Amino acid sequence: MFCYQCEQADRTGEMLGCAGPLGNCGKDPATADLQDVLIHAVKGIAQYATRARALGAPDEEAAPFILYAVFTTLTNVNFNPTRFVALIQQAAAVRDRVRARYEDAARARGQQPEQLTGPARWEPAADLDGLLRQAPSYRVDAGLGAVGPDVVGLRSLHLYAIKGICAYSYHAHVLGQQNDDVSAGVEEALAYLAEQPTETEELLARAVGLGRLNLTVMEMLDAANTGTFGPQQPTAVRTTPVAGKAILVSGHDLRDLAALLEQTKDTGVNVYTHGEMLPAHAYPLLKAYPHLVGNYGGAWQDQQREFTKFPGPILMTSNCIIEPYPAYRRRIFTTGPVGWPGVRHLADRDFSALIKAAQAMPGFRADEPEERFITVGFGRDALLSVADKVTDAVRQGAIRHFFLVGGCDGPTVGREYYRDFALGAPDDSVVMTLGCAKYRFNGHDFGEIDGIPRLLDLGQCNDAFSAVKIAQALAGAFECGLDELPLTLALSWTEQKAVAVLLSLLALGFRNIHLGPSLPVYLTPGLVAALVDTFGLRTIGDPAIDVAAALERSAS
């Protein structure tokens, strides 16, 4: 195996990346290799899909399959090799169907169909052993000796951005939002990678283009979430348990949570959120369920300890699963793209088995005496409704600066930076946050400025569009560019959704983004230098120095 798609990648060997018996995320070599093979197969679908679409004959079922299949290959999503064997075979069948559709459309227009090569002509082996023998030709660093590390690194940047885009698009798709331009963009990007491009300038330019595509995806996801569940509202969320049977829901998928809330209504089972599901409490149609009683635990990397202590079953709805401990392996369930060998998978949002498990377990015996709360729900609708108050506070000098501290949390050394950075922001500044990095500091009382909370939780990483719209509104109010705002971004990076968001921010013109705690290992020193020169990216340093430097840049 070889994998270096996330910040958990091994950095101790001669070749940076996970290549041992297990990846640092817990992924075994068979799963890692099968994921690479699945990506290869999906590229073949895309080669034909782009051509069919150009002839006005798109395959409407291929687009959602691509989203789902690619989503399963993200970090901490699916670790089940059996499922990947099935997906690879399914991908080959989808590709053949799209090929026939393309060839029929071409002949109907009097054209001779192209004879494509590469993934378009590849045939998968019939079983697991055969697929594993094929895998070395398709791993992410294939061709390194021929094209060099810069080209392979830029191809990887493309692929991981596509993975993030597909994940966000999948979340929107399950809520009924689909955009033909997004489907076309994903297919085009995968077909481009199938051609094994080598021009570094073109690769970098097209990466920024993927950032623009992801902006459309984030807007689509925002419309899906708010259109389905209502605009976020500031809401105090209880973080201490209450007496009663209990289910814990982690991941990101709001539709899964909504389905579970409906199925547990009047059953006497309470539902708690975990990790990135915390912002769900801000949506009116979700918080209307009285048995959505609170949030339990923190970010994804602490789940083994937290899930062990939770007195009920757990549902994982999207990325962030790590190896279940024996203490809770029999009471954790997966759904959607998630999978782990030996863990029961619930299809079609039928959560009856999960509910029965909750009813059979003790739950919380009593309310925890000391009640604690965290306030969420400062999405774009909530903040833009008081935009005049915010801009007046800036003009009057009550608010000097905005800091956006967000992204993924993780177990690696250096992430205490984000806590120290947020807590080190001066009292006349506002800290906005999204993603699970917030758990480093969201229990702290930041106070207020003229009635405006100094800590504003914008939501999940899936809610990055809120941050963009807020920044654009501020830029419009002050008649300046985004890079001229008194705004500093400090982003905590872990996996592929973060790559897509970063490229979107660069495409919008944000500069001087602080990124850490370390840069992706697939970005060579030469590529890092190009990104720094072109976009002003900065690696994190001492938090107090970085805060002071941000304020100095803003003042000048």
Side-chain angles (χ1 to χ4, degrees):
M1 69 172 286
F2 178 77
C3 183
Y4 60 2
Q5 71 179 10
C6 76
E7 202 210 18
Q8 298 175 73
D10 184 22
R11 299 169 187 266
T12 61
E14 180 178 342
M15 186 170 185
L16 300 179
C18 295
L22 281 181
N24 286 340
C25 69
K27 186 164 56 178
D28 63 67
T31 300
D33 286 348
L34 291 170
Q35 288 180 353
D36 290 340
V37 174
L38 177 58
I39 291 296
H40 184 74
V42 169
K43 289 177 184 176
I45 300 173
Q47 285 178 282
Y48 287 113
T50 55
R51 288 162 172 82
R53 192 176 293 276
L55 294 174
D59 188 308
E60 301 299 342
E61 295 180 3
F65 174 79
I66 289 174
L67 301 183
Y68 179 86
V70 173
F71 194 174
T72 64
T73 70
L74 268 72
T75 300
N76 296 110
V77 175
N78 199 313
F79 296 77
N80 192 337
T82 302
R83 182 63 184 131
F84 283 108
V85 171
L87 280 170
I88 290 165
Q89 302 299 338
Q90 188 178 355
V94 171
R95 181 203 58 196
D96 292 346
R97 186 187 72 228
V98 178
R99 175 173 60 195
R101 190 177 185 88
Y102 157 66
E103 291 175 348
D104 288 346
R107 293 189 185 100
R109 288 161 177 75
Q111 301 175 13
Q112 185 65 28
E114 293 183 62
Q115 297 300 307
L116 303 182
T117 59
R121 303 299 300 180
W122 173 77
E123 291 299 329
D127 58 18
L128 172 62
D129 290 340
L131 289 170
L132 293 178
R133 286 193 294 270
Q134 291 179 316
S137 298
Y138 310 123
R139 72 183 201 180
V140 71
D141 63 340
L144 178 64
V147 300
D150 285 355
V151 169
V152 170
L154 280 171
R155 289 176 182 172
S156 299
L157 179 66
H158 269 251
L159 175 59
Y160 302 147
I162 293 168
K163 288 189 178 190
I165 289 168
C166 286
Y168 286 136
S169 298
Y170 172 84
H171 284 301
H173 173 74
V174 298
L175 290 173
Q177 287 281 337
Q178 187 164 340
N179 182 307
D180 288 342
D181 291 338
V182 169
S183 299
V186 169
E187 293 163 1
E188 181 184 354
L190 287 165
Y192 174 68
L193 285 183
E195 298 170 3
Q196 300 182 315
T198 59
E199 294 297 326
T200 56
E201 289 187 7
E202 180 184 67
L203 278 161
L204 186 57
R206 289 181 71 111
V208 177
L210 289 175
R212 286 189 285 271
L213 176 64
N214 190 54
L215 284 170
T216 301
V217 173
M218 290 194 299
E219 183 175 10
M220 183 171 68
L221 180 53
D222 178 85
N225 286 336
T226 58
T228 304
F229 305 112
Q232 289 189 45
Q233 299 171 347
T235 303
V237 182
R238 181 172 176 139
T239 59
T240 48
V242 298
K245 307 288 187 178
I247 291 173
L248 187 61
V249 183
S250 194
H252 300 75
D253 199 296
L254 298 181
R255 184 181 174 190
D256 286 337
L257 176 61
L260 177 62
L261 288 170
E262 185 61 26
Q263 292 176 41
T264 50
K265 186 171 60 175
D266 302 324
T267 64
V269 176
N270 292 326
V271 176
Y272 294 80
T273 56
H274 175 270
E276 285 261 46
M277 294 299 285
L278 167 63
H281 295 266
Y283 290 95
L285 268 67
L286 296 177
K287 71 177 184 176
Y289 289 92
H291 62 295
L292 180 62
V293 295
N295 189 75
Y296 180 92
W300 65 273
Q301 74 274 5
D302 296 326
Q303 67 185 252
Q304 290 167 323
R305 172 177 53 83
E306 293 167 349
F307 291 1
T308 295
K309 295 179 180 178
F310 189 78
I314 302 107
L315 177 67
M316 293 297 304
T317 68
S318 67
N319 50 311
C320 293
I321 191 172
I322 55 180
E323 182 176 7
Y325 277 177
Y328 62 88
R329 186 183 290 264
R330 292 173 62 89
R331 56 184 172 87
I332 185 171
F333 298 77
T334 63
T335 191
V338 193
W340 193 280
V343 168
R344 185 166 179 180
H345 187 79
L346 304 177
D348 302 320
R349 295 185 176 82
D350 178 0
F351 298 128
S352 54
L354 177 73
I355 297 167
K356 288 180 181 177
Q359 291 170 330
M361 293 193 66
F364 292 101
R365 301 292 189 186
D367 293 359
E368 189 164 318
E370 182 184 356
E371 295 183 11
R372 293 190 297 274
F373 294 86
I374 291 174
T375 301
V376 300
F378 296 100
R380 65 183 180 93
D381 295 284
L383 279 186
L384 294 181
S385 68
V386 294
D388 290 344
K389 186 175 182 179
V390 174
T391 54
D392 286 345
V394 175
R395 291 190 176 99
Q396 294 166 11
I399 296 177
R400 178 168 41 141
H401 203 80
F402 297 89
F403 294 94
L404 176 62
V405 187
C408 312
D409 202 359
T412 50
V413 174
R415 291 182 180 274
E416 65 276 3
Y417 169 92
Y418 298 95
R419 177 199 63 219
D420 296 341
F421 187 93
L423 298 184
D427 290 343
D428 57 355
S429 66
V430 171
V431 177
M432 298 182 290
T433 187
L434 47 75
C436 63
K438 72 186 69 169
Y439 283 107
R440 294 276 172 173
F441 50 83
N442 67 351
H444 178 76
D445 183 3
F446 283 78
E448 297 182 344
I449 299 174
D450 295 342
I452 301 167
R454 284 196 57 236
L455 179 64
L456 302 173
D457 187 336
L458 307 184
Q460 299 178 337
C461 68
N462 291 14
D463 296 310
F465 187 69
S466 271
V468 168
K469 295 302 291 184
I470 290 165
Q472 289 176 331
L474 288 172
F478 297 121
E479 298 181 345
C480 66
L482 291 172
D483 59 335
E484 299 173 294
L485 285 171
L487 169 65
T488 299
L489 282 67
L491 303 182
S492 175
W493 174 80
T494 291
E495 50 92 6
Q496 297 78 66
K497 289 181 178 178
V499 177
V501 171
L502 176 62
L503 290 174
S504 292
L505 296 174
L506 298 181
L508 284 167
F510 284 99
R511 297 295 182 268
N512 299 311
I513 298 172
H514 296 254
L515 189 65
S518 52
L519 293 177
V521 296
Y522 52 84
L523 294 181
T524 65
L527 295 179
V528 171
L531 291 171
V532 169
D533 290 344
T534 306
F535 303 109
L537 282 180
R538 299 168 179 265
T539 53
I540 63 172
D542 180 276
I545 294 174
D546 287 351
V547 168
L551 295 172
E552 184 177 348
R553 284 195 303 271
S554 180
S556 63

